[in-house]
Amino acid sequence: NETELLIVTNNHVIAGATNLTVLFSVDEGKDGASAVEAQIKGTDASKDVGVIAVPLKDIPAETLSEIKVATIGDSSQLMVGEQVVAIGNALGYGQSVTTGIISALNRDVTLQNDDGSLINNSLIQTDAAINPGNSGGALLNMKGEVIGINSSKYSDTTVEGMGFAIPSNMAKPIIEDLITREEVTDDRAAYLGISGMNVTASVSSAYNMPEGVFIKEVTKGTAAEKYGIQQGDILTGFDG
């Protein structure tokens, strides 16, 4: 915008941070890189998306002239087997690039936040290597468009090539919302008060249960408890 450079990342990258610094790389022929302080613009922990802001006035003119804004692509057009590139700061060594294919689409993946709450998202699966430090980086198609935000991986001695990214079409409306509103403080935030897990179509069919969110726990004193939601319920609709 007119005063800030806005950068998309994962919520888990910036959650709990007291200070944020963005390191801008410059061409190898120039001196080093520019480090600039940033602030959190907004976060959505339920989708693991965050936006940070760097004041334009704090970015050296030479660095600012080198910055290019990425184009967001249409993740609904992705096909299994399509080539992709993942960019990130793997293991903190500096920017690195890996390549692979789209392994699967709409994978139901459950992740755990630092506070113990669970995130259930439908993600892009790729075998492009995604390692710690890649989180918040771009997953690109062969046009150079951002079609995903690198988010997580399955890590095990028996597992290989299972990285996950938030689809751009899921992230885009969240990003647009975060950059146009103030950060919501805890005392103003709405809180349903449940932890749950997805009842997918396959689970629904196998156990003759409706699709939705299975309520694993209801937190005392919350709206969920007040209005009668109970452990073992399945949430099948919201807001009508």
Side-chain angles (χ1 to χ4, degrees):
N1 60 33
E2 293 182 359
T3 59
E4 300 167 315
L5 180 70
L6 302 168
I7 302 171
V8 179
T9 184
N10 288 137
N11 172 69
H12 77 256
V13 172
I14 57 178
T18 54
N19 296 287
L20 289 173
T21 302
V22 174
L23 188 66
F24 293 102
S25 298
V26 295
D27 289 346
E28 291 182 7
K30 298 176 182 178
D31 294 332
S34 300
V36 185
E37 287 191 16
Q39 301 295 325
I40 295 175
K41 187 77 172 179
T43 61
D44 185 335
S46 68
K47 296 300 181 185
D48 197 23
V49 175
V51 177
I52 63 175
V54 179
L56 293 178
K57 63 180 178 60
D58 294 346
I59 305 173
E62 187 178 53
T63 300
L64 191 59
S65 68
E66 296 287 327
I67 293 172
K68 304 294 188 293
V69 177
T71 300
I72 297 180
D74 182 358
S75 58
S76 70
Q77 299 301 309
L78 290 173
M79 299 177 65
V80 172
E82 183 175 340
Q83 285 189 295
V84 288
V85 169
I87 299 178
N89 181 20
L91 302 181
Y93 287 151
Q95 183 170 286
S96 63
V97 177
T98 55
T99 185
I101 62 169
I102 298 293
S103 304
L105 300 168
N106 304 315
R107 284 291 200 216
D108 288 327
V109 179
T110 300
L111 304 173
Q112 189 171 36
N113 280 320
D114 291 340
D115 62 3
S117 61
L118 298 178
I119 306 172
N120 299 291
N121 279 338
S122 183
L123 304 180
I124 299 166
Q125 183 183 329
T126 179
D127 70 344
I130 293 176
N131 294 294
N134 276 100
S135 293
L139 187 69
L140 308 169
N141 62 18
M142 290 298 100
K143 296 179 181 178
E145 298 169 335
V146 178
I147 46 81
I149 302 170
N150 302 329
S151 180
S152 60
K153 65 176 293 186
Y154 277 148
S155 180
D156 191 278
T157 55
T158 60
V159 174
E160 212 171 299
M162 292 187 69
F164 297 92
I166 301 165
S168 59
N169 287 16
M170 178 194 293
K172 189 174 181 180
I174 299 170
I175 295 165
E176 290 172 347
D177 178 52
L178 293 178
I179 67 177
T180 55
R181 67 172 173 83
E182 296 286 328
E183 185 177 2
V184 178
T185 56
D186 288 344
D187 62 327
R188 294 176 55 215
Y191 182 61
L192 181 59
I194 65 164
S195 65
M197 59 186 297
N198 282 348
V199 179
T200 61
S202 59
V203 172
S204 171
S205 176
Y207 295 98
N208 193 28
M209 301 162 68
E211 290 186 47
V213 178
F214 178 81
I215 308 300
K216 294 173 62 179
E217 184 180 359
V218 178
T219 306
K220 290 188 179 299
T222 61
E225 183 189 49
K226 179 179 178 181
Y227 290 99
I229 294 177
Q230 299 178 5
Q231 183 181 19
D233 287 348
I234 299 176
L235 185 65
T236 61
F238 196 86
D239 196 21

